[in-house]
């Protein structure tokens, strides 16, 4: 069965194979640079003391549970979000929603870059730290993952499960913006060979509404 554009829930649009292989490679190379210290990749420690299994580097604003700051975990300023990445976010919103005006107003000021090794998972959660109601743009690179999209009330069933493959775009806006979501597992060894990547990288672009 071909993988086609699908509105998985109201406002949640999956666009398979949006990023060409060369583009995936360029973004991955950039992510490797962003990951280096200072203000590089780290495993976030939650308030209860538990360490998240994913590794994260933020651009623009730093996500420190459960708020955004301008300073990274190592006390150094968070890296800037490059203009080309914000532009890519506008293109993504335009493609997903076919709404040029909404897309033109989309000016993401946060990128959250998550790295998943074969054991990493992300539990069901909401993203509520952003004040802006603007959509979240998600770009997947590397290993395929199982992505779970639930409701807005709680983290329980029913949920939809979607395979996110390298190059896929997903945009979460409207009634899906506050939906619970998570990544219960990745599929080791499924990354395209040309990426030379073991694991999965996900980049989300967001508008903070902060100043
Ligand atoms: C649906 N990241 O960083 S991207 C996160 O694949 C996060 O690394 C996952 O959840 C990942 O917070 C999922 C898809 C995603 C991101 C944000 C959302 C889905 C969303 C916000 C609202 C609803
Ligand atoms: Fe999230």
């Amino acid at each position: 069965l071909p993988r086609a554009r699908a509105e998985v829930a109201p406002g949640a649009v999956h666009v398979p194979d949006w990023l060409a292989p060369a583009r995936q490679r360029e973004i991955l190379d950039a992510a490797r640079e962003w990951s280096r210290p200072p203000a590089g990749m780290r495993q976030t420690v939650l308030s209860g003391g538990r360490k998240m299994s994913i590794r994260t580097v933020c651009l623009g604003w730093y996500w420190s549970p459960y708020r955004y700051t301008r300073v990274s975990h190592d006390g150094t300023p968070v890296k800037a979000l490059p203009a080309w990445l914000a532009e890519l976010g506008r293109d993504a919103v335009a493609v997903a929603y076919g709404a040029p005006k909404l897309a033109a107003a989309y000016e993401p000021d946060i990128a959250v870059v998550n790295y998943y090794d074969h054991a990493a998972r992300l539990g069901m959660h909401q993203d509520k730290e952003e004040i802006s109601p603007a959509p979240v743009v998600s770009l997947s690179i590397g290993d395929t993952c199982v992505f779970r999209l639930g409701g807005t009330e709680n983290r329980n069933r029913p949920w939809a499960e979607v395979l996110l493959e390298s190059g896929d775009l997903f945009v979460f806006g409207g009634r899906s913006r506050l939906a619970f979501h998570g990544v219960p597992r990745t599929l080791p060894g499924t990354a395209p060979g040309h990426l030379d990547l073991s694991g999965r990288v996900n980049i989300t672009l967001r508008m903070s509404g902060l100043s």
Side-chain angles (χ1 to χ4, degrees):
L1 234 59
R3 300 189 311 133
R5 179 190 182 280
E7 188 158 16
V8 173
V13 178
H14 179 205
V15 184
D17 299 318
W18 185 59
L19 296 168
R23 201 85 175 98
Q24 296 174 41
R25 182 59 193 255
E26 288 169 2
I27 296 169
L28 180 60
D29 286 346
R32 284 176 165 138
E33 286 296 320
W34 299 329
S35 299
R36 296 153 61 152
M41 211 164 231
R42 64 101 163 217
Q43 280 178 285
T44 304
V45 179
L46 299 175
S47 4
R50 280 196 21 183
K51 203 188 256 187
M52 294 179 76
S53 59
I54 60 172
R55 287 170 168 77
T56 303
V57 58
C58 298
L59 309 178
W61 288 90
Y62 177 80
W63 187 77
S64 158
Y66 291 90
R67 64 201 179 94
Y68 283 110
T69 66
R70 287 292 197 181
V71 178
S72 189
H73 65 288
D74 59 1
T76 66
V78 65
K79 286 168 181 151
L81 192 157
W84 64 263
L85 191 54
E87 183 71 31
L88 189 65
R90 272 188 292 281
D91 292 347
V93 170
V95 163
Y97 292 147
K101 280 186 181 159
L102 181 69
Y106 191 64
E107 292 182 359
D109 60 342
I110 305 171
V112 177
V113 181
N114 291 329
Y115 169 73
Y116 295 73
D117 66 18
H118 297 341
R121 278 132 194 52
L122 184 60
M124 293 292 274
H125 67 278
Q126 292 171 297
D127 291 25
K128 294 193 296 189
E129 287 78 19
E130 302 82 13
I131 295 165
S132 166
V136 173
V137 167
S138 156
L139 305 169
S140 293
I141 295 173
D143 283 346
T144 300
C145 79
V146 178
F147 173 73
R148 205 171 265 178
L149 183 65
T152 53
E153 289 296 309
N154 59 57
R155 64 191 69 246
N156 308 328
R157 289 182 179 82
W159 52 57
E161 283 192 342
V162 180
L163 289 177
L164 295 185
E165 298 185 15
S166 197
D168 285 8
L169 163 67
F170 218 131
V171 179
F172 302 88
R175 281 159 56 192
S176 289
R177 180 63 182 80
L178 292 178
F180 280 86
H181 58 278
V183 177
R185 64 194 180 95
T186 62
L187 279 51
T190 53
H194 75 94
L195 292 179
D196 195 26
L197 172 64
S198 171
R200 170 175 187 264
V201 172
N202 181 268
I203 301 180
T204 50
L205 301 175
R206 307 148 189 250
M207 276 179 75
S208 68
L210 302 169
S211 54

